[in-house]
């Protein structure tokens, strides 16, 4: 088996001790991420906290360029820019000066098991105790209620007291999910947070989901992570959605129905109602998988839209 270290190159001369961190946040972008939850959160962390590049992965071995063609910029009579894919490990410092690692970039197409081995080697090298993920999933929930978050972990003590929403379902695999599975099999600690994003804004930016993800990340890790910018963005976005709802004929009735369904769920009257597309039919595992697959196809192949109900 090839050495997993071949997949990445260190970009710093700093000694190992200065790079040690107990927490690693993993954000493989391009998979299931309703509301651009993960993308917004990663951009927020890198924009508000000091950081440096620790290592970069060999992307030419990992990506299907023809399957997901990167964007290039053409200006008048020449090519001027290339948005090349990347997978980068950062050391980030929270507001208290505590360091954590952030592995982020486009989700690779190839060699998943080998990437998992590479992440294991980084976890061992830098003394990571907990690997975390945050992302968004599209659900039949209203934007006017607190966002529900499904937590999953390799050790139930990491999510003690949280009531699950899902039973057993089969969904398309993601690299971060596989990594969590392999970490659990190895007896290591990992926890993930899936923020339930209103399905009608799943293709647009929804900062409230990133804020909910950040809050769960702080609770799980104890890191001091700033949230002011996300609060402002979430408030602005809520006002924009409210404005569009008020001018869309059928939207208020849809929101009212979702609110009633959500409130019934929270009250414990209809525990599974949150999963349903209507008041009575609970989707099967296969139907949930098909819904996720359709979402992924839209995310890869359709242009982004703002908040709205016209889709």
């Amino acid at each position: 088996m090839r050495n997993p270290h071949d997949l990445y190159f260190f970009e710093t001369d700093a000694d190992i001790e200065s790079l040690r961190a107990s927490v690693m946040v993993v954000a493989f972008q391009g998979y299931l991420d309703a509301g651009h939850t993960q993308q917004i959160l990663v951009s927020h962390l890198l924009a508000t906290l000091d950081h440096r590049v620790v290592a970069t992965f060999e992307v030419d071995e990992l990506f299907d360029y023809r399957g997901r063609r990167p964007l290039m910029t053409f200006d008048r009579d020449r090519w001027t820019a290339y948005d090349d894919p990347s997978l980068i490990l950062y050391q980030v410092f929270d507001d208290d000066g505590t360091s954590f690692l952030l592995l982020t970039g486009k989700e690779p197409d190839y060699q998943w098991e080998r990437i998992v081995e590479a992440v294991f080697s980084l976890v061992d090298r830098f003394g990571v105790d907990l690997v975390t993920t945050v992302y968004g999933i599209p659900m039949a929930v209203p934007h006017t209620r607190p966002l529900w978050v499904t937590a999953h972990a390799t050790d139930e003590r990491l999510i003690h007291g949280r009531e699950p929403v899902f039973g057993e379902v089969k969904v398309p695999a993601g690299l971060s999910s596989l990594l969590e599975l392999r970490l659990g099999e190895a007896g290591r600690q990992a926890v993930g947070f899936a923020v339930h994003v209103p399905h009608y804004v799943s293709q647009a930016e929804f900062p409230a989901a990133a804020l909910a993800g950040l809050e769960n990340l702080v609770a799980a890790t104890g890191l001091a992570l700033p949230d002011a910018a996300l609060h402002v963005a979430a408030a602005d976005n809520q006002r924009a959605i409210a404005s569009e709802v008020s001018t869309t004929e059928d939207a208020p009735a849809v929101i009212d129905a979702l609110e009633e369904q959500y409130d019934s769920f929270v009250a414990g009257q209809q525990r599974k109602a949150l999963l349903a597309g209507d008041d009575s039919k609970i989707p099967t595992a296969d139907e949930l998988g098909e819904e996720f697959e359709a979402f992924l196809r839209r995310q890869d192949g359709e242009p982004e839209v703002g908040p709205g109900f016209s889709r």
Side-chain angles (χ1 to χ4, degrees), residues 191-218:
V191 61
F193 301 103
V195 184
H196 295 195
V197 175
H199 63 280
Y200 49 85
V201 295
S202 63
Q203 292 295 305
E205 290 193 353
F206 189 60
L211 178 59
L214 181 76
E215 292 169 346
N216 279 268
L217 190 59
V218 167

Side-chain angles (χ1 to χ4, degrees), residues 260-274 279:
E260 181 178 355
Q261 180 175 274
Y262 179 99
D263 293 342
S264 295
F265 175 83
V266 173
Q269 298 173 1
Q270 297 178 359
R271 182 176 179 81
K272 294 183 179 179
L274 192 62
D279 290 336

Side-chain angles (χ1 to χ4, degrees), residues 37-94:
T37 302
Q38 188 181 88
Q39 178 183 328
I40 295 172
L41 179 57
V42 169
S43 296
H44 170 74
L45 293 175
L46 294 178
T48 58
L49 296 172
D50 291 337
H51 59 275
R52 61 179 171 181
V53 175
V54 174
T56 56
F57 277 68
E58 180 53 74
V59 295
D60 273 353
E61 294 192 40
L62 305 177
F63 292 92
D64 178 2
Y65 287 88
R66 293 196 299 174
R68 292 186 296 166
R69 294 182 184 272
L71 294 177
M72 294 186 68
T73 302
F74 184 81
D75 186 5
R76 295 174 60 86
D77 59 0
R78 69 191 64 194
W79 296 105
T80 58
Y82 171 53
D83 185 16
D84 53 319
S86 62
L87 186 57
I88 301 173
L89 180 69
Y90 294 95
Q91 182 184 37
V92 187
F93 299 89
D94 75 357

Side-chain angles (χ1 to χ4, degrees), residues 14-33:
D15 62 275
I16 295 298
E17 284 302 313
S18 69
L19 297 172
R20 292 181 67 84
S22 62
V23 174
M24 177 187 287
V25 178
V26 174
F28 295 124
Q29 302 166 15
Y31 174 53
L32 185 64
D33 192 32

Side-chain angles (χ1 to χ4, degrees), residues 75-226:
D75 186 5
R76 295 174 60 86
D77 59 0
R78 69 191 64 194
W79 296 105
T80 58
Y82 171 53
D83 185 16
D84 53 319
S86 62
L87 186 57
I88 301 173
L89 180 69
Y90 294 95
Q91 182 184 37
V92 187
F93 299 89
D94 75 357
D95 281 342
D96 291 337
T98 301
S99 71
F100 64 96
L101 299 175
L102 172 61
L103 177 59
T104 185
K106 300 292 186 182
E107 182 189 53
D109 299 293
Y110 306 121
Q111 305 194 59
W112 281 11
E113 294 286 4
R114 191 165 162 232
I115 295 169
V116 167
E117 290 182 18
V119 174
F120 268 62
S121 72
L122 291 167
V123 164
D124 290 338
R125 176 180 287 265
F126 298 121
V128 172
D129 297 317
L130 178 66
V131 176
T132 65
T133 57
V134 174
Y135 55 98
I137 57 175
M139 296 290 287
V141 295
H143 70 280
T144 52
R145 295 292 188 268
L147 296 179
W148 200 271
V149 178
T150 290
H152 46 82
T154 58
D155 185 337
E156 63 181 12
R157 291 173 295 183
L158 294 171
I159 52 174
H160 178 70
R162 290 177 179 260
E163 290 293 327
V165 174
F166 297 97
E168 180 178 294
V169 298
K170 291 185 181 296
V171 298
L175 179 53
S176 60
S177 304
L178 176 62
L179 174 61
E180 184 176 313
L181 175 67
R182 295 291 184 249
L183 287 166
E185 291 171 344
R188 300 170 186 250
Q189 291 196 322
V191 61
F193 301 103
V195 184
H196 295 195
V197 175
H199 63 280
Y200 49 85
V201 295
S202 63
Q203 292 295 305
E205 290 193 353
F206 189 60
L211 178 59
L214 181 76
E215 292 169 346
N216 279 268
L217 190 59
V218 167
T221 64
L223 291 170
L225 304 177

